[in-house]
Short mmCIF file of all heavy atoms in Angstrom, two decimals:
data_model
loop_
_atom_site.label_atom_id
_atom_site.label_comp_id
_atom_site.label_asym_id
_atom_site.label_seq_id
_atom_site.Cartn_x
_atom_site.Cartn_y
_atom_site.Cartn_z
N LYS A 1 110.22 103.03 107.23
CA LYS A 1 111.31 104.12 106.77
C LYS A 1 112.73 103.46 107.00
O LYS A 1 112.94 103.10 108.12
CB LYS A 1 111.20 105.43 107.37
CG LYS A 1 112.09 106.46 106.80
CD LYS A 1 111.93 107.79 107.45
CE LYS A 1 112.92 107.73 108.72
NZ LYS A 1 113.11 109.07 109.39
N GLY A 2 113.47 103.50 105.94
CA GLY A 2 114.78 102.95 106.13
C GLY A 2 115.04 101.52 106.02
O GLY A 2 116.22 101.11 106.06
N SER A 3 113.99 100.76 105.82
CA SER A 3 114.16 99.36 105.64
C SER A 3 113.38 98.71 104.51
O SER A 3 112.88 97.56 104.66
CB SER A 3 113.81 98.60 107.00
OG SER A 3 112.40 98.80 107.36
N PHE A 4 113.15 99.51 103.52
CA PHE A 4 112.46 99.05 102.34
C PHE A 4 113.15 97.79 101.78
O PHE A 4 114.45 97.84 101.82
CB PHE A 4 112.32 100.16 101.26
CG PHE A 4 111.58 99.79 100.10
CD1 PHE A 4 110.18 99.82 100.07
CD2 PHE A 4 112.19 99.39 98.84
CE1 PHE A 4 109.49 99.49 98.91
CE2 PHE A 4 111.45 99.06 97.73
CZ PHE A 4 110.09 99.14 97.83
N PRO A 5 112.53 96.73 101.32
CA PRO A 5 111.12 96.55 101.02
C PRO A 5 110.23 95.97 102.17
O PRO A 5 109.22 95.39 101.91
CB PRO A 5 111.07 95.56 99.87
CG PRO A 5 112.26 94.63 100.24
CD PRO A 5 113.36 95.61 100.87
N ASN A 6 110.65 96.17 103.27
CA ASN A 6 109.89 95.65 104.56
C ASN A 6 108.73 96.64 104.89
O ASN A 6 108.90 97.89 104.73
CB ASN A 6 110.71 95.49 105.84
CG ASN A 6 111.87 94.47 105.55
OD1 ASN A 6 111.45 93.32 105.14
ND2 ASN A 6 113.15 94.86 105.79
N ALA A 7 107.56 96.13 105.23
CA ALA A 7 106.44 96.91 105.50
C ALA A 7 105.50 96.20 106.52
O ALA A 7 105.82 95.07 106.97
CB ALA A 7 105.62 97.25 104.28
N ARG A 8 104.56 96.86 107.02
CA ARG A 8 103.58 96.36 108.00
C ARG A 8 102.26 96.25 107.25
O ARG A 8 101.75 97.28 106.73
CB ARG A 8 103.48 97.30 109.19
CG ARG A 8 104.66 97.36 110.20
CD ARG A 8 104.68 98.56 110.93
NE ARG A 8 105.15 99.72 110.15
CZ ARG A 8 105.01 101.02 110.42
NH1 ARG A 8 104.40 101.32 111.58
NH2 ARG A 8 105.46 101.87 109.76
N CYS A 9 101.63 95.03 107.30
CA CYS A 9 100.33 94.79 106.70
C CYS A 9 99.29 94.80 107.71
O CYS A 9 99.38 94.11 108.75
CB CYS A 9 100.32 93.51 105.91
SG CYS A 9 98.80 93.12 105.23
N PHE A 10 98.16 95.47 107.49
CA PHE A 10 97.11 95.66 108.54
C PHE A 10 95.85 94.81 108.11
O PHE A 10 94.86 94.93 108.75
CB PHE A 10 96.71 97.08 108.60
CG PHE A 10 97.62 97.89 109.35
CD1 PHE A 10 98.79 98.45 108.70
CD2 PHE A 10 97.54 98.17 110.74
CE1 PHE A 10 99.68 99.22 109.39
CE2 PHE A 10 98.53 98.92 111.35
CZ PHE A 10 99.56 99.49 110.69
N ALA A 11 95.96 93.95 107.13
CA ALA A 11 94.90 93.04 106.70
C ALA A 11 94.73 92.02 107.73
O ALA A 11 95.60 91.60 108.47
CB ALA A 11 95.15 92.42 105.37
N GLY A 12 93.51 91.57 108.01
CA GLY A 12 93.25 90.57 109.15
C GLY A 12 92.93 91.24 110.43
O GLY A 12 92.77 92.35 110.45
N HIS A 13 92.83 90.40 111.42
CA HIS A 13 92.42 90.94 112.77
C HIS A 13 93.41 90.80 113.83
O HIS A 13 93.12 91.04 115.02
CB HIS A 13 91.10 90.08 113.07
CG HIS A 13 90.08 90.13 112.15
ND1 HIS A 13 89.25 91.33 111.94
CD2 HIS A 13 89.62 89.24 111.23
CE1 HIS A 13 88.41 91.03 110.94
NE2 HIS A 13 88.62 89.84 110.50
N ASN A 14 94.61 90.45 113.48
CA ASN A 14 95.68 90.19 114.58
C ASN A 14 96.68 91.38 114.62
O ASN A 14 97.77 91.18 115.00
CB ASN A 14 96.38 88.89 114.33
CG ASN A 14 95.50 87.73 114.42
OD1 ASN A 14 94.63 87.70 115.20
ND2 ASN A 14 95.52 86.81 113.53
N GLY A 15 96.29 92.50 114.13
CA GLY A 15 97.24 93.66 114.09
C GLY A 15 98.21 93.61 112.99
O GLY A 15 98.20 92.65 112.21
N PRO A 16 99.15 94.64 112.80
CA PRO A 16 99.99 94.67 111.71
C PRO A 16 100.95 93.47 111.82
O PRO A 16 101.55 93.03 112.81
CB PRO A 16 100.67 95.97 111.85
CG PRO A 16 100.54 96.31 113.26
CD PRO A 16 99.33 95.77 113.79
N LYS A 17 101.35 92.87 110.63
CA LYS A 17 102.33 91.87 110.58
C LYS A 17 103.40 92.21 109.57
O LYS A 17 103.07 92.98 108.52
CB LYS A 17 101.71 90.47 110.28
CG LYS A 17 101.18 90.33 108.86
CD LYS A 17 100.81 88.79 108.68
CE LYS A 17 100.42 88.61 107.19
NZ LYS A 17 100.09 87.19 106.87
N PRO A 18 104.56 91.77 109.66
CA PRO A 18 105.66 92.26 108.66
C PRO A 18 105.36 91.44 107.39
O PRO A 18 105.09 90.31 107.37
CB PRO A 18 106.93 91.76 109.34
CG PRO A 18 106.49 90.70 110.35
CD PRO A 18 105.11 90.96 110.78
N VAL A 19 105.66 92.23 106.24
CA VAL A 19 105.58 91.64 104.95
C VAL A 19 106.78 92.27 104.07
O VAL A 19 107.29 93.27 104.45
CB VAL A 19 104.26 92.13 104.23
CG1 VAL A 19 103.05 91.37 104.89
CG2 VAL A 19 104.04 93.56 104.04
N THR A 20 107.02 91.50 102.97
CA THR A 20 108.13 91.94 101.99
C THR A 20 107.27 92.45 100.84
O THR A 20 106.47 91.70 100.26
CB THR A 20 109.02 90.86 101.72
OG1 THR A 20 109.71 90.38 102.92
CG2 THR A 20 110.09 91.43 100.73
N VAL A 21 107.57 93.67 100.33
CA VAL A 21 106.92 94.22 99.28
C VAL A 21 107.65 93.89 97.90
O VAL A 21 108.71 94.12 97.86
CB VAL A 21 106.75 95.72 99.37
CG1 VAL A 21 106.06 96.32 98.17
CG2 VAL A 21 105.87 96.19 100.60
N TRP A 22 106.88 93.21 97.01
CA TRP A 22 107.60 92.76 95.69
C TRP A 22 106.96 93.45 94.50
O TRP A 22 107.35 93.15 93.41
CB TRP A 22 107.35 91.29 95.50
CG TRP A 22 108.29 90.46 96.42
CD1 TRP A 22 108.05 89.82 97.55
CD2 TRP A 22 109.70 90.30 96.11
NE1 TRP A 22 109.21 89.31 98.08
CE2 TRP A 22 110.22 89.51 97.12
CE3 TRP A 22 110.50 90.64 95.08
CZ2 TRP A 22 111.56 89.07 97.09
CZ3 TRP A 22 111.94 90.23 95.04
CH2 TRP A 22 112.41 89.53 96.10
N CYS A 23 105.95 94.29 94.65
CA CYS A 23 105.44 95.00 93.49
C CYS A 23 105.44 96.53 93.51
O CYS A 23 104.65 97.15 92.73
CB CYS A 23 103.93 94.57 93.28
SG CYS A 23 102.95 94.76 94.76
N SER A 24 106.15 97.13 94.35
CA SER A 24 106.17 98.58 94.45
C SER A 24 106.86 99.07 93.21
O SER A 24 107.82 98.66 92.65
CB SER A 24 106.93 99.09 95.67
OG SER A 24 107.08 100.41 95.71
N ASN A 25 106.25 100.38 92.75
CA ASN A 25 106.91 101.04 91.68
C ASN A 25 107.88 102.08 92.17
O ASN A 25 108.40 102.90 91.31
CB ASN A 25 105.86 101.65 90.82
CG ASN A 25 105.18 100.73 89.80
OD1 ASN A 25 105.75 99.65 89.47
ND2 ASN A 25 104.15 101.01 89.29
N ASP A 26 108.11 102.08 93.39
CA ASP A 26 109.29 102.83 94.07
C ASP A 26 110.53 102.07 93.70
O ASP A 26 111.16 101.47 94.58
CB ASP A 26 109.04 103.12 95.56
CG ASP A 26 110.08 104.01 96.09
OD1 ASP A 26 111.06 104.54 95.32
OD2 ASP A 26 110.02 104.27 97.29
N TYR A 27 110.82 101.93 92.39
CA TYR A 27 111.78 100.92 91.86
C TYR A 27 113.11 100.94 92.52
O TYR A 27 113.78 99.98 92.72
CB TYR A 27 111.94 101.18 90.36
CG TYR A 27 110.75 100.87 89.52
CD1 TYR A 27 110.33 101.77 88.65
CD2 TYR A 27 110.24 99.59 89.52
CE1 TYR A 27 109.18 101.31 87.77
CE2 TYR A 27 109.19 99.20 88.71
CZ TYR A 27 108.61 100.17 87.80
OH TYR A 27 107.61 99.83 87.01
N LEU A 28 113.64 102.11 92.90
CA LEU A 28 114.97 102.31 93.37
C LEU A 28 115.14 102.62 94.85
O LEU A 28 116.05 102.94 95.40
CB LEU A 28 115.79 103.34 92.60
CG LEU A 28 115.85 103.18 91.05
CD1 LEU A 28 116.52 104.32 90.41
CD2 LEU A 28 116.49 101.84 90.74
N ALA A 29 113.86 102.50 95.46
CA ALA A 29 113.72 102.85 96.88
C ALA A 29 114.11 104.34 97.28
O ALA A 29 114.53 104.60 98.40
CB ALA A 29 114.54 101.92 97.79
N MET A 30 113.94 105.19 96.27
CA MET A 30 114.33 106.61 96.50
C MET A 30 113.24 107.30 97.44
O MET A 30 113.62 108.30 98.03
CB MET A 30 114.32 107.43 95.19
CG MET A 30 115.49 106.99 94.29
SD MET A 30 117.08 107.24 95.07
CE MET A 30 117.12 108.99 95.24
N GLY A 31 112.10 106.75 97.60
CA GLY A 31 111.08 107.25 98.53
C GLY A 31 111.59 107.05 100.03
O GLY A 31 111.12 107.64 100.92
#
């Protein structure tokens, strides 16, 4: 929250890692 398009990805086994989201349809970050 407050830092879109940054997110945490839980894929894999090393805990959440930071990712940049490039395909969200929250086009204007109004969410």
Side-chain angles (χ1 to χ4, degrees):
K1 187 185 81 169
S3 62
F4 185 78
N6 298 306
R8 292 155 282 165
C9 177
F10 289 81
H13 303 286
N14 298 318
K17 71 172 188 176
V19 296
T20 304
V21 177
W22 280 103
C23 56
S24 173
N25 282 343
D26 187 357
Y27 289 126
L28 304 179
M30 290 304 295

